[in-house]
Structures are given as C-alpha cells and as structure tokens.
C-alpha cells in the first residue's frame, strides 16, 4: 500500500510513518515545510505527483491560543486545508484519513462522547477543526475522520515547545518536588503510537465516516499525573487543584472523553487501556520503573 503522511515530522505524524513502514507500506512523507495545505493548487500538484492510495493528513494549526488570536490562519489550515484534501481525494481516487480533535465538544455532556453526539466547540481551534470535518463529509467519498484526544508521544510537540504532559510533569517534579494538578478536567490521554496503529488499521478498512480513536477508560489530569509518578517511581508531592486555580485564557472543554463506538461497531477497535498506553510510552523512554 502506498501511503502519504502529511505532517510527518509532528508528534503523531512521526509514529504514523514508523507504523506504516513496519507494516510494509511504501511510505511517502510531507512536512509543514514541504506543503502548504491551505493552497489548493499546491495540494493538487503534490498529490497528483505522489499518486498515493492512502493519504493521512496529520497537519494542523493546533496551538489553541494562537488559533484564537489568528483565526484566519487557523481556518486556512484546519478548514480550507481539509477542504483541499477532500477535493484532491476525489480527483485522484485515494482514501483520505483526516485527524481531528476532541475540542469539537464543549464538555457539557459529562459522559463519553460518541460520534453521534452534536459538536459544540468552545474556541476557534475547535470551530476550525469542525469546519474541516464538515468539508470532508460534504466532498470526500472514501474517507475516515479520526478524532483523537490528549496526545503525547516520543516526537516533540511543536505547540508545547517540544514537551508533552508526561514530560512536563516529570520536569516539574524534578525542579520543584511539588506539583499541583486539576481534578475537575477529564480526558483520555492518548499515546501517539497507539493512535497510529489504530489509524493504520482504519487505512486498510473499507468503512467511511467519523471515528473516535482513544484508549479505553478515562481519568482526570490529576489521576494521569499520579500514574506518571507511580510508574516512574518519582517521589513528589502531588496536590489537588481545580480549574479555577489555573484560569484559562481560552475556554476549553472540561470533559472531553471520547467513546470509540463506530470503531467497535465495525469490529476495528484495537485501542488499549490508557494506563497500558502510558506504560508502553514510559518503556520506550526508559523511564518505566513499576
């Protein structure tokens, strides 16, 4: 299978490249420096030349605060970029796998969101990503929109200055010996390697539509931090906090747990439990102790 990964040097993109290569696919890569996905002509030219069977679009403008202050840029990449990919998928007959986000929801449900729940984004980032989803659903024929949540992985995250939540927690523990983490915000933290393996499974499937792809279970950020410290044997004072202790500049969902209902219904859900994902990540970084 000939696969093109766009955003190949990103946190998720790097694992996508590795997973597809291990599966024996012919993998082509484009980084954000190689292609401007908001440029329809450039997208057409690049994809026509590559002639892939599958395109995985992991490129996004995902710095939430910058999206809010630069809405035109956010919509150019996340919405119009998705539209350009969808149009190219029809013109060049490839399967489009597009990565979206849990931020399309407002968190008000307080129960895991399925693909059937109505989105209601709270910020510009979420709105721009939802717009991209709608373009794909309206234009593309052979596609899978994959919503992910709380990503962390081995590759640096450019939006977080090369860090992720796990690295930040361990860094703060070393530097301060005391960490305060919120107990009232819930998510399913997702190791990018697990997400990449699930996406590769979807790439080979025939089903189209919207899919949630997160590990099994859920936790607060405080519970996630506690697991990080437990599995790494880190001695630190972990204190509870609430979101009111860390006022956000931009509104974000306090509950964005996703339910992989569509994957289950199709017999395609291979996502592990979130604690197992964390252990796998820590084993790769050499920090797993327990």
């Amino acid at each position: 299978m000939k696969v093109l990964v766009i955003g190949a040097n990103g946190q998720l993109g790097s694992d996508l490249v590795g997973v597809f290569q291990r599966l024996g696919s012919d993998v082509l890569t484009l980084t954000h420096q190689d292609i401007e996905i908001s440029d329809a002509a450039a997208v057409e030219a690049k994809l026509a030349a590559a002639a892939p069977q599958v395109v995985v679009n992991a490129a996004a403008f995902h710095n939430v605060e910058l999206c809010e202050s630069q809405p035109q840029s956010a919509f150019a990449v996340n919405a119009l970029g998705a539209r350009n990919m969808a149009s190219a998928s029809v013109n060049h007959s490839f399967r489009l796998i597009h990565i979206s986000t849990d931020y399309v929801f407002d968190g008000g449900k307080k129960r895991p969101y399925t693909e059937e729940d109505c989105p209601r984004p709270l910020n510009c980032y979420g709105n721009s990503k939802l717009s991209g989803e709608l373009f794909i659903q309206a234009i593309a024929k052979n596609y899978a929109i994959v919503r992910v949540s709380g990503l962390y992985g081995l590759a640096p995250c450019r939006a977080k200055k090369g860090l992720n939540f796990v690295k930040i927690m361990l860094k703060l523990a070393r530097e301060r010996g005391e960490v305060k983490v919120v107990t009232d915000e819930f998510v399913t933290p997702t190791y990018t390697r697990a997400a990449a393996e699930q996406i590769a499974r979807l790439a080979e499937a025939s089903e189209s539509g919207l899919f949630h792809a997160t590990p099994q279970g859920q936790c607060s950020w405080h519970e996630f931090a506690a697991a990080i410290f437990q599995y790494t044997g880190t001695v630190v004072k972990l204190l509870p906090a609430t979101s009111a202790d860390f006022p956000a500049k931009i509104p974000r969902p306090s509950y964005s747990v996703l339910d992989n209902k569509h994957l289950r219904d199709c017999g395609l859900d291979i996502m592990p439990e979130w604690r197992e994902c964390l252990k796998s990540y820590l084993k790769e970084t050499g920090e797993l102790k327990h």
Side-chain angles (χ1 to χ4, degrees):
M1 184 166 62
K2 190 175 184 181
V3 180
L4 172 63
V5 178
I6 299 177
N9 61 337
Q11 191 171 214
L12 176 57
S14 297
D15 275 325
L16 285 165
V17 171
V19 167
F20 278 113
Q21 287 176 337
R22 285 195 299 276
L23 292 173
S25 295
D26 177 12
V27 182
L28 308 175
T29 64
L30 290 172
T31 70
H32 68 284
Q33 296 171 323
D34 299 323
I35 185 172
E36 178 52 69
I37 64 172
S38 61
D39 184 336
V43 169
E44 279 289 323
K46 291 280 187 180
L47 297 184
Q53 294 168 283
V54 175
V55 171
V56 184
N57 179 32
F61 188 170
H62 55 80
N63 184 308
V64 176
E65 291 185 8
L66 278 182
C67 284
E68 206 70 22
S69 62
Q70 301 175 27
Q72 289 180 317
S73 296
F75 275 85
V77 174
N78 297 335
L80 298 182
R83 183 196 65 177
N84 296 337
M85 291 291 169
S87 296
S89 74
V90 174
N91 295 339
H92 303 291
S93 300
F94 58 78
R95 180 165 170 77
L96 175 61
I97 312 294
H98 177 76
I99 311 305
S100 192
T101 175
D102 57 326
Y103 272 43
V104 299
F105 295 113
D106 66 359
K109 184 182 177 184
K110 303 303 181 186
R111 298 191 311 278
Y113 286 94
T114 73
E115 296 87 349
E116 297 163 359
D117 285 312
C118 183
R120 186 177 177 271
L122 295 177
N123 53 47
C124 184
Y125 169 65
N127 274 290
S128 66
K129 291 296 287 184
L130 177 59
S131 296
E133 291 184 6
L134 295 175
F135 273 126
I136 291 170
Q137 290 172 318
I139 298 169
K141 307 300 181 186
N142 183 8
Y143 70 92
I145 298 166
V146 184
R147 290 176 180 154
V148 294
S149 170
L151 292 178
Y152 63 95
L154 298 176
C157 176
R158 289 187 295 120
K160 296 180 180 177
K161 300 180 180 179
L163 298 175
N164 59 43
F165 185 82
V166 181
K167 290 180 179 179
I168 291 170
M169 288 298 101
L170 294 175
K171 181 175 183 288
L172 291 176
R174 288 192 299 268
E175 293 175 352
R176 303 178 182 178
E178 180 178 291
V179 180
K180 184 182 289 188
V181 184
V182 295
T183 60
D184 60 349
E185 294 180 2
F186 296 85
V187 71
T188 303
T190 304
Y191 180 24
T192 51
R193 179 78 53 80
E197 290 171 354
Q198 180 66 75
I199 290 164
R201 179 76 175 271
L202 260 177
E204 297 176 338
S206 59
E207 289 82 3
S208 285
L210 179 62
F211 296 86
H212 291 172
T214 62
Q216 313 303 324
Q218 65 181 51
C219 61
S220 68
W221 288 111
H222 186 277
E223 290 172 310
F224 188 37
I228 293 166
F229 298 141
Q230 175 188 348
Y231 298 150
T232 58
T234 299
V235 178
V236 60
K237 187 176 184 180
L238 177 59
L239 301 174
T242 68
S243 53
D245 295 319
F246 302 100
K249 298 178 182 178
I250 310 300
R252 304 167 191 243
S254 61
Y255 185 95
S256 58
V257 178
L258 303 181
D259 181 349
N260 304 347
K261 182 179 185 298
H262 195 182
L263 284 175
R264 283 198 311 277
D265 290 347
C266 295
L268 295 171
D269 190 1
I270 59 171
M271 294 296 284
E273 199 265 346
W274 70 265
R275 293 176 184 82
E276 296 307 310
C277 285
L278 176 58
K279 289 178 183 178
S280 296
Y281 168 80
L282 293 172
K283 185 176 181 180
E284 286 291 325
T285 64
E287 295 169 298
L288 182 65
K289 298 295 190 295
H290 301 288

